[in-house]
């Protein structure tokens, strides 16, 4: 667990902090010569990284709390569109670069732990926003056996080799070995909570 935690902290906390520091320093040095639209774009990048850092730190704390213990699942009947709106609202500061669409039908109620659902959906949306070509859509609908939430983006997609690696990790046929040979914290949290 210690090695895994160090790897996660290194990748999901230190890297965003380094990026925020670089962008803020660059902006400070050239603030007088920058055009207002360049400054807005730079501030949007800082905001995006800060929000990702906040989400990662929150998720790491939740993940650490659940290591070695049972996850307390407290289901309740909730309107899934409302929960989805709450998660998407956390990403609205990115609306200048990514458009978020909630296509979950109104008035669909499901039994779910709202906290765990929020954590999983936040991670999926954050990943989609980070790779989107400008659009992230969340859809929902009933199937005979369950309620399915789908997060889509119009980015380039995951390579076949990366998909194979993620599938192997999910099925336990592969192990996380190094910080660069691992899925992100969001993927691990989604596996843990689903």
């Amino acid at each position: 667990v210690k090695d895994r935690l160090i790897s996660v902290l290194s990748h999901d906390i230190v890297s965003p902090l380094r990026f925020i520091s670089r962008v803020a320093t660059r902006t400070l040095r050239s603030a007088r010569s920058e055009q207002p639209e360049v400054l807005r774009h730079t501030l949007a990048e800082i905001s995006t990284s800060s929000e990702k850092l906040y989400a990662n730190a929150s998720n790491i704390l939740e993940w650490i709390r659940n290591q070695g213990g049972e996850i307390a699942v407290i289901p309740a009947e909730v309107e899934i569109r409302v929960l989805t709106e709450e998660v998407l609202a956390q990403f609205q500061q990115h609306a200048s670069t990514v458009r978020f669409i909630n296509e979950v039908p109104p008035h669909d109620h499901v039994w779910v732990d709202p906290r765990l659902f929020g954590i999983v959906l936040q991670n999926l949306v954050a990943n989609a926003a980070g790779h989107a070509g400008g659009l992230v859509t969340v859809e929902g609908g009933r199937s005979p056996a369950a309620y399915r939430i789908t997060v889509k983006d119009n980015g380039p997609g995951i390579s076949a080799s990366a998909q194979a690696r993620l599938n192997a990790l999910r099925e336990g046929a592969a192990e996380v070995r190094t910080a660069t040979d691992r899925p992100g914290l969001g993927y691990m949290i989604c596996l843990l909570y689903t």
Side-chain angles (χ1 to χ4, degrees), residues 3-26:
D3 291 340
R4 196 177 197 188
L5 182 58
I6 290 170
S7 174
V8 167
L9 288 172
S10 170
H11 184 268
D12 293 328
I13 300 295
V14 174
S15 293
L17 278 173
R18 188 177 308 123
F19 174 78
I20 291 168
S21 175
R22 284 185 197 148
V23 171
T25 301
R26 182 185 71 214

mmCIF file of all heavy atoms in Angstrom, residues 3-26:
data_model
loop_
_atom_site.group_PDB
_atom_site.id
_atom_site.type_symbol
_atom_site.label_atom_id
_atom_site.label_comp_id
_atom_site.label_asym_id
_atom_site.label_seq_id
_atom_site.Cartn_x
_atom_site.Cartn_y
_atom_site.Cartn_z
ATOM 1 N N ASP A 3 3.919 1.778 -1.307
ATOM 2 C CA ASP A 3 4.451 2.066 -2.643
ATOM 3 C C ASP A 3 3.366 2.595 -3.568
ATOM 4 O O ASP A 3 3.597 3.516 -4.357
ATOM 5 C CB ASP A 3 5.082 0.813 -3.248
ATOM 6 C CG ASP A 3 6.362 0.410 -2.524
ATOM 7 O OD1 ASP A 3 6.949 1.278 -1.845
ATOM 8 O OD2 ASP A 3 6.753 -0.762 -2.640
ATOM 9 N N ARG A 4 2.201 2.011 -3.446
ATOM 10 C CA ARG A 4 1.076 2.451 -4.279
ATOM 11 C C ARG A 4 0.713 3.897 -3.948
ATOM 12 O O ARG A 4 0.486 4.712 -4.833
ATOM 13 C CB ARG A 4 -0.097 1.520 -4.017
ATOM 14 C CG ARG A 4 -1.182 1.586 -5.022
ATOM 15 C CD ARG A 4 -2.197 0.538 -4.632
ATOM 16 N NE ARG A 4 -3.082 0.251 -5.738
ATOM 17 C CZ ARG A 4 -4.139 -0.491 -5.636
ATOM 18 N NH1 ARG A 4 -4.445 -1.058 -4.492
ATOM 19 N NH2 ARG A 4 -4.914 -0.702 -6.677
ATOM 20 N N LEU A 5 0.664 4.224 -2.654
ATOM 21 C CA LEU A 5 0.332 5.572 -2.216
ATOM 22 C C LEU A 5 1.376 6.580 -2.684
ATOM 23 O O LEU A 5 1.039 7.664 -3.168
ATOM 24 C CB LEU A 5 0.191 5.615 -0.693
ATOM 25 C CG LEU A 5 -0.212 6.956 -0.086
ATOM 26 C CD1 LEU A 5 -1.534 7.434 -0.670
ATOM 27 C CD2 LEU A 5 -0.325 6.826 1.416
ATOM 28 N N ILE A 6 2.652 6.227 -2.580
ATOM 29 C CA ILE A 6 3.718 7.120 -3.047
ATOM 30 C C ILE A 6 3.576 7.369 -4.543
ATOM 31 O O ILE A 6 3.703 8.500 -5.016
ATOM 32 C CB ILE A 6 5.104 6.541 -2.693
ATOM 33 C CG1 ILE A 6 5.325 6.618 -1.180
ATOM 34 C CG2 ILE A 6 6.215 7.264 -3.448
ATOM 35 C CD1 ILE A 6 6.538 5.857 -0.697
ATOM 36 N N SER A 7 3.287 6.328 -5.281
ATOM 37 C CA SER A 7 3.108 6.455 -6.723
ATOM 38 C C SER A 7 1.934 7.368 -7.050
ATOM 39 O O SER A 7 2.029 8.249 -7.904
ATOM 40 C CB SER A 7 2.892 5.061 -7.328
ATOM 41 O OG SER A 7 2.584 5.165 -8.683
ATOM 42 N N VAL A 8 0.831 7.172 -6.362
ATOM 43 C CA VAL A 8 -0.366 7.987 -6.596
ATOM 44 C C VAL A 8 -0.089 9.445 -6.249
ATOM 45 O O VAL A 8 -0.425 10.356 -7.009
ATOM 46 C CB VAL A 8 -1.559 7.436 -5.780
ATOM 47 C CG1 VAL A 8 -2.698 8.424 -5.742
ATOM 48 C CG2 VAL A 8 -2.018 6.113 -6.373
ATOM 49 N N LEU A 9 0.520 9.683 -5.084
ATOM 50 C CA LEU A 9 0.817 11.062 -4.677
ATOM 51 C C LEU A 9 1.748 11.739 -5.676
ATOM 52 O O LEU A 9 1.554 12.900 -6.037
ATOM 53 C CB LEU A 9 1.428 11.090 -3.280
ATOM 54 C CG LEU A 9 0.470 10.789 -2.138
ATOM 55 C CD1 LEU A 9 1.234 10.645 -0.825
ATOM 56 C CD2 LEU A 9 -0.592 11.855 -2.022
ATOM 57 N N SER A 10 2.745 11.015 -6.132
ATOM 58 C CA SER A 10 3.704 11.563 -7.078
ATOM 59 C C SER A 10 3.016 11.986 -8.371
ATOM 60 O O SER A 10 3.237 13.078 -8.884
ATOM 61 C CB SER A 10 4.785 10.521 -7.369
ATOM 62 O OG SER A 10 5.590 10.943 -8.434
ATOM 63 N N HIS A 11 2.190 11.129 -8.887
ATOM 64 C CA HIS A 11 1.569 11.389 -10.183
ATOM 65 C C HIS A 11 0.381 12.329 -10.085
ATOM 66 O O HIS A 11 0.231 13.237 -10.903
ATOM 67 C CB HIS A 11 1.145 10.060 -10.816
ATOM 68 C CG HIS A 11 0.575 10.225 -12.183
ATOM 69 N ND1 HIS A 11 -0.764 10.387 -12.414
ATOM 70 C CD2 HIS A 11 1.175 10.258 -13.390
ATOM 71 C CE1 HIS A 11 -0.974 10.511 -13.702
ATOM 72 N NE2 HIS A 11 0.185 10.434 -14.324
ATOM 73 N N ASP A 12 -0.496 12.118 -9.106
ATOM 74 C CA ASP A 12 -1.767 12.828 -9.072
ATOM 75 C C ASP A 12 -1.782 14.078 -8.204
ATOM 76 O O ASP A 12 -2.742 14.834 -8.248
ATOM 77 C CB ASP A 12 -2.876 11.877 -8.625
ATOM 78 C CG ASP A 12 -3.126 10.790 -9.663
ATOM 79 O OD1 ASP A 12 -2.963 11.070 -10.858
ATOM 80 O OD2 ASP A 12 -3.469 9.665 -9.263
ATOM 81 N N ILE A 13 -0.752 14.314 -7.419
ATOM 82 C CA ILE A 13 -0.684 15.533 -6.613
ATOM 83 C C ILE A 13 0.517 16.384 -7.020
ATOM 84 O O ILE A 13 0.378 17.565 -7.333
ATOM 85 C CB ILE A 13 -0.609 15.204 -5.097
ATOM 86 C CG1 ILE A 13 -1.840 14.428 -4.651
ATOM 87 C CG2 ILE A 13 -0.422 16.469 -4.283
ATOM 88 C CD1 ILE A 13 -3.135 15.185 -4.739
ATOM 89 N N VAL A 14 1.690 15.802 -7.046
ATOM 90 C CA VAL A 14 2.899 16.566 -7.335
ATOM 91 C C VAL A 14 2.887 17.105 -8.765
ATOM 92 O O VAL A 14 3.211 18.275 -9.002
ATOM 93 C CB VAL A 14 4.164 15.724 -7.058
ATOM 94 C CG1 VAL A 14 5.412 16.457 -7.503
ATOM 95 C CG2 VAL A 14 4.239 15.387 -5.571
ATOM 96 N N SER A 15 2.489 16.296 -9.732
ATOM 97 C CA SER A 15 2.476 16.756 -11.135
ATOM 98 C C SER A 15 1.552 17.949 -11.348
ATOM 99 O O SER A 15 1.963 18.941 -11.957
ATOM 100 C CB SER A 15 2.104 15.608 -12.073
ATOM 101 O OG SER A 15 3.123 14.645 -12.062
ATOM 102 N N PRO A 16 0.302 17.918 -10.865
ATOM 103 C CA PRO A 16 -0.540 19.113 -11.031
ATOM 104 C C PRO A 16 0.015 20.339 -10.307
ATOM 105 O O PRO A 16 -0.089 21.453 -10.807
ATOM 106 C CB PRO A 16 -1.892 18.693 -10.451
ATOM 107 C CG PRO A 16 -1.909 17.216 -10.564
ATOM 108 C CD PRO A 16 -0.487 16.789 -10.363
ATOM 109 N N LEU A 17 0.617 20.128 -9.123
ATOM 110 C CA LEU A 17 1.213 21.263 -8.421
ATOM 111 C C LEU A 17 2.355 21.879 -9.226
ATOM 112 O O LEU A 17 2.478 23.105 -9.304
ATOM 113 C CB LEU A 17 1.737 20.831 -7.049
ATOM 114 C CG LEU A 17 0.709 20.750 -5.946
ATOM 115 C CD1 LEU A 17 1.333 20.150 -4.685
ATOM 116 C CD2 LEU A 17 0.119 22.106 -5.646
ATOM 117 N N ARG A 18 3.179 21.028 -9.839
ATOM 118 C CA ARG A 18 4.278 21.514 -10.665
ATOM 119 C C ARG A 18 3.721 22.333 -11.844
ATOM 120 O O ARG A 18 4.230 23.398 -12.163
ATOM 121 C CB ARG A 18 5.121 20.336 -11.164
ATOM 122 C CG ARG A 18 6.391 20.785 -11.859
ATOM 123 C CD ARG A 18 7.268 19.612 -12.306
ATOM 124 N NE ARG A 18 7.536 18.686 -11.219
ATOM 125 C CZ ARG A 18 7.242 17.383 -11.260
ATOM 126 N NH1 ARG A 18 6.698 16.863 -12.316
ATOM 127 N NH2 ARG A 18 7.508 16.611 -10.236
ATOM 128 N N PHE A 19 2.674 21.817 -12.479
ATOM 129 C CA PHE A 19 2.076 22.528 -13.612
ATOM 130 C C PHE A 19 1.519 23.884 -13.173
ATOM 131 O O PHE A 19 1.760 24.897 -13.820
ATOM 132 C CB PHE A 19 0.966 21.686 -14.243
ATOM 133 C CG PHE A 19 0.216 22.422 -15.311
ATOM 134 C CD1 PHE A 19 0.765 22.572 -16.573
ATOM 135 C CD2 PHE A 19 -1.016 22.987 -15.042
ATOM 136 C CE1 PHE A 19 0.077 23.270 -17.569
ATOM 137 C CE2 PHE A 19 -1.705 23.685 -16.030
ATOM 138 C CZ PHE A 19 -1.151 23.821 -17.290
ATOM 139 N N ILE A 20 0.788 23.907 -12.064
ATOM 140 C CA ILE A 20 0.217 25.163 -11.564
ATOM 141 C C ILE A 20 1.326 26.164 -11.288
ATOM 142 O O ILE A 20 1.234 27.346 -11.646
ATOM 143 C CB ILE A 20 -0.635 24.915 -10.303
ATOM 144 C CG1 ILE A 20 -1.910 24.149 -10.679
ATOM 145 C CG2 ILE A 20 -0.981 26.222 -9.603
ATOM 146 C CD1 ILE A 20 -2.668 23.614 -9.482
ATOM 147 N N SER A 21 2.386 25.716 -10.650
ATOM 148 C CA SER A 21 3.508 26.593 -10.344
ATOM 149 C C SER A 21 4.128 27.171 -11.608
ATOM 150 O O SER A 21 4.390 28.377 -11.690
ATOM 151 C CB SER A 21 4.554 25.819 -9.538
ATOM 152 O OG SER A 21 5.689 26.613 -9.331
ATOM 153 N N ARG A 22 4.354 26.326 -12.616
ATOM 154 C CA ARG A 22 4.958 26.805 -13.862
ATOM 155 C C ARG A 22 4.073 27.823 -14.571
ATOM 156 O O ARG A 22 4.556 28.865 -15.024
ATOM 157 C CB ARG A 22 5.219 25.626 -14.806
ATOM 158 C CG ARG A 22 6.394 24.799 -14.429
ATOM 159 C CD ARG A 22 6.644 23.739 -15.484
ATOM 160 N NE ARG A 22 7.494 22.697 -14.953
ATOM 161 C CZ ARG A 22 7.443 21.433 -15.292
ATOM 162 N NH1 ARG A 22 6.579 21.033 -16.194
ATOM 163 N NH2 ARG A 22 8.255 20.564 -14.756
ATOM 164 N N VAL A 23 2.799 27.531 -14.671
ATOM 165 C CA VAL A 23 1.885 28.434 -15.368
ATOM 166 C C VAL A 23 1.770 29.754 -14.614
ATOM 167 O O VAL A 23 1.799 30.827 -15.216
ATOM 168 C CB VAL A 23 0.499 27.777 -15.563
ATOM 169 C CG1 VAL A 23 -0.514 28.773 -16.072
ATOM 170 C CG2 VAL A 23 0.612 26.598 -16.528
ATOM 171 N N ALA A 24 1.638 29.680 -13.299
ATOM 172 C CA ALA A 24 1.526 30.907 -12.507
ATOM 173 C C ALA A 24 2.791 31.749 -12.614
ATOM 174 O O ALA A 24 2.718 32.979 -12.775
ATOM 175 C CB ALA A 24 1.235 30.565 -11.048
ATOM 176 N N THR A 25 3.951 31.115 -12.561
ATOM 177 C CA THR A 25 5.222 31.843 -12.677
ATOM 178 C C THR A 25 5.354 32.489 -14.049
ATOM 179 O O THR A 25 5.721 33.661 -14.163
ATOM 180 C CB THR A 25 6.411 30.889 -12.417
ATOM 181 O OG1 THR A 25 6.265 30.349 -11.099
ATOM 182 C CG2 THR A 25 7.733 31.612 -12.528
ATOM 183 N N ARG A 26 5.045 31.732 -15.093
ATOM 184 C CA ARG A 26 5.113 32.266 -16.457
ATOM 185 C C ARG A 26 4.165 33.452 -16.631
ATOM 186 O O ARG A 26 4.522 34.482 -17.192
ATOM 187 C CB ARG A 26 4.759 31.166 -17.466
ATOM 188 C CG ARG A 26 4.866 31.625 -18.911
ATOM 189 C CD ARG A 26 4.399 30.565 -19.881
ATOM 190 N NE ARG A 26 2.955 30.458 -19.768
ATOM 191 C CZ ARG A 26 2.272 29.323 -19.907
ATOM 192 N NH1 ARG A 26 2.890 28.203 -20.133
ATOM 193 N NH2 ARG A 26 0.970 29.327 -19.804
#
